[in-house]
Amino acid sequence: MSVPPRRKTWSLNSRATRGLIFQAIAIVLIAAGLWFLAHNMQENMRVRGIQSGFDFLGMPAGFDIGETLIAYEPDQSYGRAIWVGVLNTLKVAVAGIVLTTIIGVAIGVGRFSRNALIRGLCYGYVELFRNVPILLQLLMWYLFFLEILPASNEAWSAAGLVYLSKAGLAFPVPAAGIGHVLAGALAGLVAGWLWRQRVHRRFELTGQDGDRFWVPLALVVVLAVVGWVFAGMPREWNVPEQLAFMVDGGASASAEFLALLIGLVIYTAAFVAEVVRGGIQSVSRGQDEAAAALGLSQRQKMKLVILPQAMRVIVPPLTNQYLNLTKNSSLAVAVGYPDVVSIANTTLNQSGRAVECIAIIMLVYLSTSLSTSLIMNWYNQRMAIKER
């Protein structure tokens, strides 16, 4: 005989009811406080004759931006200028997160190497770069590009293909078909990820492992070649060339971008290495001994036994380091890189819309941080221990 469901009763003696009432009161008070602050700000700005609103985003910006991912001219709007800054910020953040993960994991794992020299180098790296303020490191790398490297007319060259100078790094790129190649490589990344998932499921069911590196790499290369074929198999390359006063042609990364990227990566990788080391140490020694008893090599133990368990401890603090890297990119103004903060400050000084420009900066960093947290939380749920 089924038991009829209990009917909810609304009573002040109920803890659930009191909780809902208190939450409703808190929401009302917060909304009232926000309304009061916004109204007070609007009134003070009106009294002082200060214009407000986001209509300025459609006005001509009137200033140039030295480094852009999309086409931009000074006669275009403030909105497009700020969008250029957002893309520049995302370029640094995405490249920084990828490089920081690779370097940080390598150094963190290196702390457990049986080679004393490797252990010492990894330890020295962490202690050196973790304890020097990030702003000083950015200035150090920027001064390296400005003072140590040669001028553009005497750039350091590698086989006549890559040039490094005060102006930055110049390197060859395909003259055409790059979009198709990138699309193929992206499809290869997706196919490689699906392959790894298939191998992982088979390993959990049967204990038979498969290749998780070379096959995904082959998929990326093959599908990139397929994209190149669909583009008409172009063979022309845009190669940089040393001219009398500068390096012309190819693609380039400015000294400001490189100084910011290198500084952020080296600094944050030191913290990521400590996160990885702590996660590995959290795995009980019995797991290592059991893996050794099964005849697994040191590399197999780390790959198949230690790291999968350590990731459950590593991911939450690793997310914090990703967020720190993204927010620390706002120090780009110290080295002259045109990120969203730098461009928004210029917009603020010209338009006088301080509140709106600061709100845009806050919205950009809030949205990027929340997006990063969302992705990492999804990954953390996948890595969590699942009860059978």
Side-chain angles (χ1 to χ4, degrees), residues 136-151 156 164-168 255-256 258-259 262-263 266 335:
L136 293 181
Q137 295 192 40
L138 294 179
L139 293 176
M140 178 192 72
W141 287 107
Y142 190 50
L143 289 175
F144 168 78
F145 278 95
L146 292 184
E147 302 295 335
I148 305 299
L149 293 182
W156 293 345
L164 183 62
S165 66
K166 295 181 187 294
E256 293 78 13
L258 292 175
I262 294 172
I266 289 180
V335 296

Side-chain angles (χ1 to χ4, degrees), residues 45-67:
M45 292 176 65
R46 185 189 64 80
V47 170
R48 290 166 175 76
I50 301 176
Q51 294 182 336
S52 62
F54 291 91
D55 56 306
F56 74 98
L57 293 176
M59 301 177 182
F63 59 85
D64 197 10
I65 300 176
E67 189 167 349

